[in-house]
Amino acid sequence: MSDSWRGDVAVSPEVAAALAAGRPVVALETTIVAHGLPAPLNLEVAADCEAAVRAAGAVPATIGVREGRVVAGLSAADLAALADPGREVAKLSARDLGLAAARGLDGATTVAGTIAVAHRVGIAVMATGGLGGVHRDAATTFDESADLATLARTPVLVVASGVKSILDVGATLERLDSLGVPVVGYQTDRFPGFYRRDAGFALEWAVATPEEAARAFAAHRAFSPSGWLLAHPVAAASELDAELHDAAVAAALDEARRTGVTGKAVTPALLASFAERTGGASVATNRDLVVANARVAGEVAVALAALS
Ligand code: PSU
Ligand code: MN
């Protein structure tokens, strides 16, 4: 069976059947695969995320662009192509999707790009590692991820372990407040700092179960066009050592300043230098948290489907 078209999106047979039947589906991003994690681990993590969604009882829809086709539910071959470091794969936020499609490009979607596609085909839940956010020098560079504004206008629940401490976490939380995006702790009342369980900020709202998250998100949609950030901290056993973490943050920021990297290259550059500084420990933490987020997203999608 081949993909079917929903609007401008090619939907895999499995995802199309699940959506038609109202069964739970979870969108997964591909920027983490193409630009966030080193090969060959990147493809393994993508497969582990899909398996975690399935184990929770939902259908994974990994999203990306292949030769100009915007796909929800990438095949293993297409996913492998996007994971291939030898290939030119564009990094696509929501604003880039149409251009990449028209040009016939290969592209990996960020959180913003992924939720734009997910919403277009009727997927309400997404999992990732970390949301993009406000960079520390944003007061002069205006570098704020389009993930924030896109989440403000796209009703998709995103499960993430907060944002990386390389960013300005406090400013990111303030922007999410201004933009009207709820930030809800999953079994925590502290905002997670990606590699660490607590970034040093309290959360106003928390939920204890997937069912509670699903009920509140469903209720939220009656009053707001925005999505949700469901903040799920990394498991305690997978946390990065605090000292190693703080030293790596300082070094990564210093390197970024010295090399003068800008635009969409900033986040991948920071991630790569972080991995180098922690001797790969940050990559192991990243892997554990993104797979755990895929499982929680699967559970929330199952609970959401049970409501309707
Ligand atoms: N956080 C990670 N790994 C990643 C990203 C974020 O730990 O790979 C990716 C996500 O796809 C996110 C994007 O949407 O980086 C944000 O990039 P930018 O800051 O350029 O918007
Ligand atoms: Mn940016």
Side-chain angles (χ1 to χ4, degrees), residues 29-33 35-37 91 93 109-114 126 128-133 135 143-147 162-164 167 194-195 263-268 271 286 289:
E29 64 148 306
T30 38
T31 292
I32 185 172
V33 179
H35 308 286
L37 288 169
K91 175 177 164 183
S93 187
T109 49
T110 64
V111 172
T114 303
M126 180 207 166
T128 186
L131 187 70
H135 286 261
D143 191 352
E144 170 184 329
S145 174
D147 287 356
V163 299
K164 272 176 302 300
L167 300 172
F194 197 78
Y195 301 117
K264 60 171 67 175
V266 172
T267 297
L271 285 172
N286 200 337
L289 68 85

Side-chain angles (χ1 to χ4, degrees), residues 1-297:
M1 276 227 298
S2 57
D3 291 358
S4 56
W5 292 89
R6 252 196 193 218
D8 310 293
V9 182
V11 183
S12 74
E14 186 192 17
V15 172
L19 289 171
R23 289 199 302 270
V25 179
V26 171
L28 298 168
E29 64 148 306
T30 38
T31 292
I32 185 172
V33 179
H35 308 286
L37 288 169
L41 181 79
N42 57 351
L43 199 52
E44 267 175 57
V45 172
D48 288 353
C49 286
E50 292 194 347
V53 169
R54 286 187 201 285
V59 171
T62 302
I63 288 175
V65 179
R66 267 293 278 157
E67 295 169 333
R69 299 166 74 244
V70 179
V71 182
L74 285 164
S75 66
D78 283 342
L79 189 53
L82 296 185
D84 178 356
R87 251 176 225 267
E88 182 107 0
V89 176
K91 175 177 164 183
L92 307 176
S93 187
R95 70 171 184 172
D96 307 308
L97 289 168
L99 285 145
R103 291 268 176 86
L105 299 182
D106 285 341
T109 49
T110 64
V111 172
T114 303
I115 61 177
V117 176
H119 179 54
R120 177 95 175 124
V121 299
I123 300 171
V125 180
M126 180 207 166
T128 186
L131 187 70
V134 179
H135 286 261
R136 291 200 190 193
D137 51 5
T140 50
T141 62
F142 280 63
D143 191 352
E144 170 184 329
S145 174
D147 287 356
L148 304 188
T150 307
L151 193 53
R153 59 168 190 265
T154 312
V156 173
L157 181 152
V158 175
V159 182
S161 301
V163 299
K164 272 176 302 300
S165 31
I166 295 165
L167 300 172
D168 187 332
V169 179
T172 302
L173 287 169
E174 292 292 354
R175 287 293 293 145
L176 287 166
D177 180 6
S178 306
L179 288 164
V181 177
V183 181
V184 182
Y186 187 74
Q187 297 171 347
T188 182
D189 59 2
R190 307 291 301 173
F191 189 63
F194 197 78
Y195 301 117
R196 304 275 311 159
R197 289 176 59 80
D198 182 355
F201 295 84
L203 290 174
E204 200 174 338
W205 298 97
V207 293
T209 64
E211 292 73 26
E212 201 184 337
R215 274 197 307 274
F217 180 60
H220 167 79
R221 289 193 290 188
F223 304 103
S224 167
S226 87
W228 257 39
L229 174 54
L230 187 63
H232 180 223
V234 67
S238 301
E239 257 191 318
L240 204 59
D241 172 77
E243 265 174 48
L244 182 62
H245 171 265
D246 294 351
V249 168
L253 289 170
D254 188 56
E255 186 171 320
R257 259 191 304 272
R258 272 186 291 109
T259 53
V261 61
T262 58
K264 60 171 67 175
V266 172
T267 297
L270 287 171
L271 285 172
S273 105
F274 208 91
E276 203 180 306
R277 306 279 167 175
T278 61
S282 70
V283 172
T285 301
N286 200 337
R287 173 198 190 124
D288 291 354
L289 68 85
V290 68
V291 174
N293 291 345
R295 175 180 52 76
V296 169

